[in-house]
Amino acid sequence: MTESGHREVEHEITVDAPAADVYRLIAEVVNWPRIFPPTVFVDHVERSGNTERIRIWATANGEAKNWTSRRVLDPEKLRIEFRQEVSTPPVAAMGGTWLIESISDTQSRVRLLHDYRAIDDDPDSLAWIDQAVDRNSRSELAALKKNVELATGADDLYLAFEDTVQIDGSAKDVYDFLNEASLWKERLAHVARVELTEDTPGLQILEMDTRTKDGSTHTTKSVRVCFPDSRIVYKQITLPALMTLHTGYWKLEENADGVAATSQHAVIINTENIKKILGDDAGLAEAKTFVKNALSTNSTATLGYAKAYAEGKR
C-alpha cells in the first residue's frame, strides 16, 4: 500500500516455456476463457497499432463482473500494460502490467502487477478487492503455467463442435427462448432443476440439473453473457466430472428462410475421471465421444424446442 485506500500488489510464477511463447498467449485474448479460469468472454472493442480496447466478462469471488480495459502491447519488451476504463463497483480504479522475463531458452518468469482503489476508499470494499485480485491472480498464473507447459497435450484433450438448426421464425423469438432459461424446467424435458440469477441485465448465472440419456443427472453452473437477439456466450464454472473446461455459445444468424440457430461447445476432457465414469476399458477417444454425444443431444433438443416456440409465434 502506497497511500490510504490504494494498493500495489505483485504476483509471479516461473513457467517452463520460452518467454516469447508466454507473451503471445497472454496477448491473444481470444484464448483467455480457455486459459484463465475466471474469464468467461473477451471481445475486442477497437485496435490501433499496439493499443487496443477489450471488454472482459469474468467472475470475482463467485460474482459475475464485466469491464472495459485499454491495453498497450510491447512485443519487444514482452510487456503488456492494462487499465480499466470504467471499473465495476466496488472497484474505483484498476490497472497493472504483465511482465515476462526470460530465465533461459526454455524457462521464463511471469510477473503480474496490479494497482487499485476502492470506491470511497471503503475498507470493507478494499478487503473484497484484495481477496478477488489475490485469488484471480494466483488462479490465472497457475492456469497460465499449466496451459503453456502442456500446450501440446492439451490440444489432444480439446474438443470443439457445433450443431445448427434452421428455424422458420424470428431471431428475437429464438433468443427470448434461450435467454429465458429460468423457464427451462417447464420447457425442456432434459432439465430437472434450474436457478437463474441476473443482477446485471445481460449477465446471468445459471445453475441447473440436466438429465442424460441413461437417466442420470448432473449439476452445472454457468456464467452467461447475453447479446440480445444475436448471441449468448457462456462458461461453466461447475463442471461434470469428465470435463476440466466447457465454454460455448448460442448464435443466431438471420437468413432468407428465417434464422440459423447454432449451439457451439468447446471442451477439455478430464482424463483423471475417464475410467471412473466410463469403465476400465475406456480411453480418451471414448470420453470425447461420450461428452460430444451428451452435449450435442441436449443442445439439439434445446434448439428443437426453441424452433417450435419461435415458429409457433409466427
Side-chain angles (χ1 to χ4, degrees):
M1 181 185 289
T2 58
E3 60 183 65
S4 178
H6 181 81
R7 286 278 200 271
E8 291 183 0
V9 298
E10 178 176 337
H11 296 79
E12 72 169 55
I13 200 165
T14 300
V15 180
D16 292 329
D21 292 346
V22 179
Y23 172 85
R24 282 195 298 271
L25 195 55
I26 299 171
E28 295 171 357
V29 297
V30 67
N31 293 316
W32 281 16
R34 179 179 171 184
I35 299 164
F36 298 129
T39 305
V40 178
F41 181 61
V42 184
D43 201 13
H44 279 98
V45 179
E46 64 182 53
R47 301 185 200 182
S48 177
N50 285 339
T51 300
E52 62 183 18
R53 293 175 65 228
I54 57 175
R55 191 171 185 193
I56 305 165
W57 290 261
T59 57
N61 290 349
E63 299 179 23
K65 302 286 185 180
N66 71 93
W67 63 90
T68 301
S69 289
R70 184 174 294 276
R71 300 205 311 168
V72 179
L73 285 70
D74 190 336
E76 292 185 1
K77 294 183 179 180
L78 304 183
R79 177 187 180 101
I80 301 171
E81 297 179 5
F82 59 89
R83 179 71 49 186
Q84 292 182 3
E85 290 188 338
V86 179
S87 298
T88 302
V91 180
M94 173 79 73
T97 306
W98 289 94
L99 297 169
I100 299 90
E101 302 167 349
S102 179
I103 297 175
S104 69
D105 290 343
T106 58
Q107 195 175 59
S108 55
R109 178 182 297 107
V110 180
R111 298 167 58 202
L112 177 55
L113 285 58
H114 283 97
D115 62 85
Y116 51 87
R117 287 193 308 105
I119 292 176
D120 297 328
D121 294 333
D122 178 69
D124 291 337
S125 295
L126 191 59
W128 186 94
I129 302 169
D130 287 340
Q131 293 175 5
V133 169
D134 186 63
R135 179 181 292 109
N136 282 0
S137 296
R138 293 179 187 276
S139 173
E140 286 182 0
L141 289 173
L144 178 70
K145 175 181 174 68
K146 177 182 177 181
N147 281 285
V148 172
E149 293 178 353
L150 300 178
T152 303
D155 286 342
D156 293 337
L157 307 180
Y158 184 67
L159 170 68
F161 62 94
E162 292 184 348
D163 294 299
T164 300
V165 171
Q166 180 63 38
I167 299 174
D168 183 16
S170 72
K172 180 184 183 305
D173 289 334
V174 179
Y175 175 85
D176 287 346
F177 184 93
L178 298 172
N179 180 59
E180 295 168 352
S182 59
L183 303 176
W184 281 5
K185 184 177 184 296
E186 291 74 34
R187 290 176 168 179
L188 303 178
H190 61 273
V191 174
R193 180 187 66 88
V194 65
E195 182 179 332
L196 181 72
T197 304
E198 189 171 359
D199 294 331
T200 302
L203 191 55
Q204 302 175 344
I205 295 180
L206 173 64
E207 182 175 336
M208 61 182 182
D209 295 341
T210 305
R211 298 185 184 93
T212 55
K213 276 185 176 180
D214 61 8
S216 62
T217 62
H218 59 260
T219 299
T220 60
K221 188 174 184 179
S222 303
V223 178
R224 307 207 311 171
V225 182
C226 305
F227 302 92
D229 304 344
S230 64
R231 187 172 43 154
I232 297 175
V233 181
Y234 63 87
K235 181 176 186 177
Q236 286 190 346
I237 55 177
T238 299
L239 292 152
L242 274 177
M243 307 179 213
T244 60
L245 174 87
H246 180 199
T247 65
Y249 57 74
W250 305 93
K251 180 175 65 175
L252 308 177
E253 296 177 303
E254 292 186 325
N255 54 38
D257 298 318
V259 58
T262 298
S263 169
Q264 190 266 4
H265 298 276
V267 170
I268 293 179
I269 300 295
N270 186 347
T271 55
E272 294 181 0
N273 290 331
I274 291 177
K275 296 189 184 304
K276 182 169 64 176
I277 302 297
L278 300 180
D280 291 339
D281 295 333
L284 181 58
E286 288 77 13
K288 282 186 172 182
T289 298
F290 180 89
V291 168
K292 182 177 181 180
N293 287 342
L295 294 176
S296 183
T297 296
N298 286 346
S299 59
T300 301
T302 300
L303 290 175
Y305 284 109
K307 175 181 173 73
Y309 175 85
E311 291 182 350
K313 288 283 190 177
R314 291 184 62 82

